[in-house]
Amino acid sequence: MSGEKPAIGVFGAGWVGLVTGACFAELGHEVVVRDVLPERVEALQAGHLPLHEPGLAELLERNGERLTFTTELDEVVSAPIMFVCVGTPPTYSGDADLSAVWTVVNHLPSLEERAILVMKSTVPVGTGETVRSALDARGLAHVGYVSNPEFLSEGSAVRDFMSPDRLVVGAFTEADAGAVAALYEPLDAPIVRADVASAEMIKLAANAFLMTRISFINEIANVCEATGADVEQVAKGIGLDHRLGPHFLRAGIGWGGSCFPKDGVALKQLASNSGYHFQLLNAVIEVNELQKRRVIGKLEKHLGKLRGKTIALLGLAFKPNTDDLREAPSLVLASRLLAEGAEVRTWDPVADASNVLQGVTFCDSVLDAVTGADAAVIVTEWDELKTLASEEVRTAMRRPLILDGRNLLDPEQARSAGFDYEGIGRASSPLASLPETEEREHQLEA
Ligand code: UDX
């Protein structure tokens, strides 16, 4: 232990566990991170990070002396504060799979010292109450339970941990809440103290609200396309209203990732298990599914049938600065294109999809991916793609068509560089600029 700071145990060496462990080590705590996968632990012990997260490797290196990785339960349960950062993936029913959480709870030994179990994993409302009863029934009433959900975005997770907008601490006792809140004191962030169920709901509701904003702006974008408005201008005009704010109003081809898809469905399922039909959330999820597929219609509008056409998918990760492919729109798009009989060439600077995508060609460079392509689709807004509308790319393509799924490029610049350009909800799309003719009506109906 260093100084007065309590040692910290972390269950789970995934995204949340590693960021949490590394950041608490940076704050001066001795940290033990435990994972059940020996190969993951061995890699971490050897200094290899199993995922791409900016700033994390540096933190691990800098705090190596305070950070231990282990598969041993004994080492982690000796800490007075233990964070649960295990995965809670969806089950076939849409409910969160809590088996990893229960493994942690059920394997806690009969601790002699007082300790606190802190839930960072995203769990359904009511989980804390159930875990509390299970601990009590096992004679572990002296083990506290606190809900402390994470709000870390991949790609900026270290910064999000170190400079949080707020922290949420839901506890059954004041003492437990105080002990967990004290860990975050150096971060000087507002702390929302809540009961456990409300803390659990804050996490689910925050994610659902963010998804709602994205699906809302995506639907506005679709209406913009049909009416000649420009969603980029609209989003700016909306976002400057202090009641609304500018964030999560970037129109595109929909969200993916490890959180939104699973947590959205989990909240929907949680509501319906309790007899409530969460109509708005259902619509938000459906809009997102349809948004990914609209790309196919747009490609067909320019290219006709896609059978035999070559499409370059640029970016595979669900968002930039991560190699995470979970629920990435790229996977749906690639599969739809293959089903239509298109040839698919892909590029991503870090994500490796070779285990999840069959039948596509993986390319090492953007130029390689677009060579001979009938269209280039920007799927992930990687910085490398900002210069896509170049002479080199135009001459390499069979047909100079850019479908910008993230509104990354300047439409005028792309067009003046000789490309057919179409973004999402942009007034200057060829469709919007068509005169009021039968052809426009036909295209709007299509
Ligand atoms: C999210 C939450 O932000 C985080 O608080 C939670 O803990 C985990 O889930 P993350 O999935 O890492 O984090 O990424 P985020 O930046 O929120 O983006 C999620 C998805 O929404 C991405 O696919 C992104 O491309 C998309 N998105 C985001 C939009 O399409 N438009 C936007 O305006 C913002």
Side-chain angles (χ1 to χ4, degrees):
M1 244 213 268
S2 54
E4 292 299 299
K5 293 181 188 278
I8 285 179
V10 177
F11 290 99
W15 234 285
V16 175
L18 286 176
V19 172
T20 301
C23 289
F24 275 126
E26 175 81 358
L27 293 176
H29 297 263
E30 294 283 336
V31 179
V32 185
V33 182
R34 189 242 183 181
D35 202 284
V36 290
L37 298 174
E39 63 278 12
R40 177 165 283 238
V41 170
E42 278 158 26
L44 285 161
Q45 286 168 338
H48 303 304
L49 195 54
L51 44 88
H52 178 87
E53 183 60 42
L56 187 54
E58 291 82 344
L59 271 194
L60 293 181
E61 202 182 326
R62 190 158 64 234
N63 297 290
E65 291 197 348
R66 276 195 291 271
L67 261 171
T68 317
F69 300 100
T70 182
T71 52
E72 300 299 323
L73 188 64
D74 294 357
E75 292 183 38
V76 78
V77 295
S78 61
I81 302 188
M82 295 169 275
F83 281 84
V84 182
C85 302
V86 297
T88 52
T91 57
Y92 285 119
S93 61
D95 297 284
D97 177 356
L98 296 184
S99 52
V101 168
W102 282 109
T103 303
V104 169
V105 175
N106 294 335
H107 286 93
L108 279 183
S110 48
L111 301 164
E112 309 216 325
E113 305 285 324
R114 191 174 146 60
I116 305 176
L117 200 61
V118 189
M119 187 61 65
K120 269 223 178 283
S121 302
T122 303
V123 294
V125 180
T127 303
E129 196 70 51
T130 317
V131 172
R132 179 71 272 157
S133 305
L135 290 172
D136 292 348
R138 286 194 49 213
L140 292 172
H142 59 293
V143 175
Y145 181 92
V146 172
S147 166
N148 172 220
E150 54 84 14
F151 300 97
L152 308 174
S153 287
E154 288 180 24
S156 60
V158 171
R159 193 187 63 210
D160 293 345
F161 189 101
M162 289 300 193
S163 314
D165 290 346
R166 75 339 198 155
L167 292 148
V168 174
V169 175
F172 292 105
T173 69
E174 268 304 301
D176 290 342
V180 173
L183 298 176
Y184 293 106
E185 242 161 47
L187 303 181
D188 198 22
I191 296 188
V192 178
R193 294 237 194 149
D195 57 62
V196 173
S198 303
E200 291 165 344
M201 182 57 100
I202 288 170
K203 165 69 194 219
L204 293 173
N207 271 356
F209 199 14
L210 293 170
M211 293 174 228
T212 304
R213 286 179 68 102
I214 302 172
S215 278
F216 176 81
I217 201 66
N218 282 341
E219 288 223 281
I220 291 289
N222 299 343
V223 180
C224 283
E225 284 176 11
T227 55
D230 184 321
V231 76
E232 295 294 310
Q233 296 173 35
V234 174
K236 191 171 176 197
I238 295 173
L240 286 170
D241 185 325
H242 76 278
R243 295 167 304 175
L244 300 172
H247 303 292
F248 279 70
L249 288 178
R250 289 193 329 269
I253 55 173
W255 76 71
S258 62
C259 280
F260 285 176
K262 121 181 134 62
D263 295 348
V265 172
L267 178 54
K268 174 182 137 170
Q269 197 54 42
L270 176 73
S272 88
N273 292 347
S274 321
Y276 184 74
H277 178 62
F278 199 151
Q279 215 168 324
L280 179 60
L281 186 55
N282 274 292
V284 163
I285 293 168
E286 193 182 355
V287 166
N288 195 56
E289 280 312 309
L290 295 174
Q291 194 69 9
K292 296 177 217 169
R293 288 162 170 79
R294 278 175 68 87
V295 173
I296 305 295
K298 288 184 173 187
L299 286 170
E300 284 174 343
K301 189 183 81 186
H302 289 274
L303 303 175
K305 289 274 168 241
L306 298 180
R307 175 156 296 281
K309 302 285 183 342
T310 301
I311 311 296
L313 290 186
L314 304 177
L316 292 169
F318 82 95
K319 66 179 216 178
N321 297 322
T322 177
D323 58 352
D324 201 340
L325 285 162
R326 284 176 284 180
E327 303 289 335
S330 63
L331 304 181
V332 172
L333 268 177
S335 307
R336 282 289 301 114
L337 287 167
L338 291 172
E340 292 298 324
E343 193 193 318
V344 179
R345 300 173 68 77
T346 68
W347 165 86
D348 192 283
V350 292
D352 175 7
S354 54
N355 284 333
V356 277
L357 275 182
Q358 272 88 47
V360 309
T361 306
F362 297 102
C363 304
D364 289 335
S365 69
V366 175
L367 195 61
D368 186 12
V370 300
T371 298
D374 295 288
V377 183
I378 298 180
V379 181
T380 315
E381 62 275 38
W382 285 106
D383 275 350
E384 290 89 328
L385 297 174
K386 285 182 178 160
T387 52
L388 182 67
S390 67
E391 176 62 21
E392 205 180 20
V393 166
R394 193 178 63 77
T395 46
M397 292 180 75
R398 182 151 58 207
R399 186 188 158 133
L401 169 61
I402 294 178
L403 216 154
D404 184 354
R406 298 292 177 184
N407 288 350
L408 182 69
L409 307 185
D410 177 335
E412 299 318 322
Q413 244 172 35
R415 291 206 184 94
S416 58
F419 288 89
D420 283 338
Y421 173 91
E422 182 152 349
I424 307 288
R426 298 188 119 170
S428 45
S429 78
L431 181 59
S433 61
L434 284 175
E436 288 297 336
T437 59
E438 271 180 29
E439 187 187 359
R440 176 173 160 82
E441 271 169 35
H442 171 74
Q443 290 195 359
L444 290 175
E445 278 160 18

